[in-house]
Amino acid sequence: HYHNNFNNSYYELKQAFLNYYNSYLIDKHLVACHNDAQLANFIISNHDKYFLLDWEFAGNNDPLYDIASFGNKDFNCALKLLATYYPNYTSNQLRDLYIWRMFQCLLWFNVANTKHNNGLSTSLHVDFDIIATNYLVLARKFNTTIMNMI
């Protein structure tokens, strides 16, 4: 059974992101980025060597995108990493971090929604429909924070 979780909330949040992108992110200096730097992609060896895996999304981007993705499970991790890389970060950098995390929530909404629509909720016994909805809820929370920052 095909379910389409794309509702007005998604399109409203997508448009908000596009407005933020065009206002704040479009002219950023791009550097080489992993573009999926979530904790699950970091491995520490027995000899305290660190490895960053899964480079299939690597490309040029705003480095704040990688910092935002580091907070995939817990956004506080992204905030701590921001303070590590930029001890005197600006309010604009903080705003951009939230914008990128909002975008990533919309991206993961699409991934989870597609998995659900392709029947993976049933075959994998994972409710991707709920996961998709939760990402929309997170995107809305980030959007609210961004609106309060600008």
Side-chain angles (χ1 to χ4, degrees):
H1 143 297
Y2 183 83
H3 177 269
N4 191 347
N5 200 354
F6 285 84
N7 55 38
N8 288 339
S9 182
Y10 170 79
Y11 292 111
E12 172 191 325
L13 291 166
K14 176 183 172 186
Q15 187 58 55
F17 167 76
L18 291 172
N19 291 341
Y20 298 142
Y21 181 84
N22 289 325
S23 296
Y24 306 112
L25 303 175
I26 198 164
D27 292 327
K28 293 292 181 183
H29 176 73
L30 304 180
V31 299
C33 289
H34 183 275
N35 288 320
D36 192 20
Q38 58 183 311
L39 287 172
N41 285 331
F42 286 85
I43 303 294
I44 303 173
S45 76
N46 293 338
H47 304 291
D48 291 330
K49 289 185 180 180
Y50 293 81
F51 298 94
L52 182 53
L53 308 176
D54 293 338
W55 287 85
E56 69 270 23
F57 300 118
N60 292 334
N61 204 346
D62 177 353
L64 291 172
Y65 188 95
D66 273 351
I67 294 173
S69 66
F70 193 72
N72 185 39
K73 296 277 187 204
D74 179 355
F75 192 66
N76 288 318
C77 292
L79 295 171
K80 289 177 185 175
L81 189 59
L82 177 69
T84 299
Y85 271 89
Y86 303 102
N88 298 309
Y89 64 83
T90 66
S91 59
N92 287 349
Q93 287 171 310
L94 183 62
R95 176 204 62 213
D96 294 353
L97 181 73
Y98 276 87
I99 293 170
W100 282 126
R101 189 66 200 130
M102 176 189 173
F103 170 77
Q104 291 163 359
C105 289
L106 294 172
L107 174 87
W108 286 111
F109 161 82
N110 280 298
V111 170
N113 192 53
T114 299
K115 286 180 179 185
H116 178 73
N117 289 339
N118 287 330
L120 292 178
S121 290
T122 303
S123 63
L124 296 178
H125 306 289
V126 174
D127 194 339
F128 287 108
D129 192 40
I130 293 288
I131 292 169
T133 299
N134 288 342
Y135 274 117
L136 275 185
V137 169
L138 279 174
R140 181 159 303 285
K141 287 180 183 179
F142 284 112
N143 187 47
T144 299
T145 300
I146 296 161
M147 288 188 304
N148 289 329
M149 294 174 142
I150 56 177

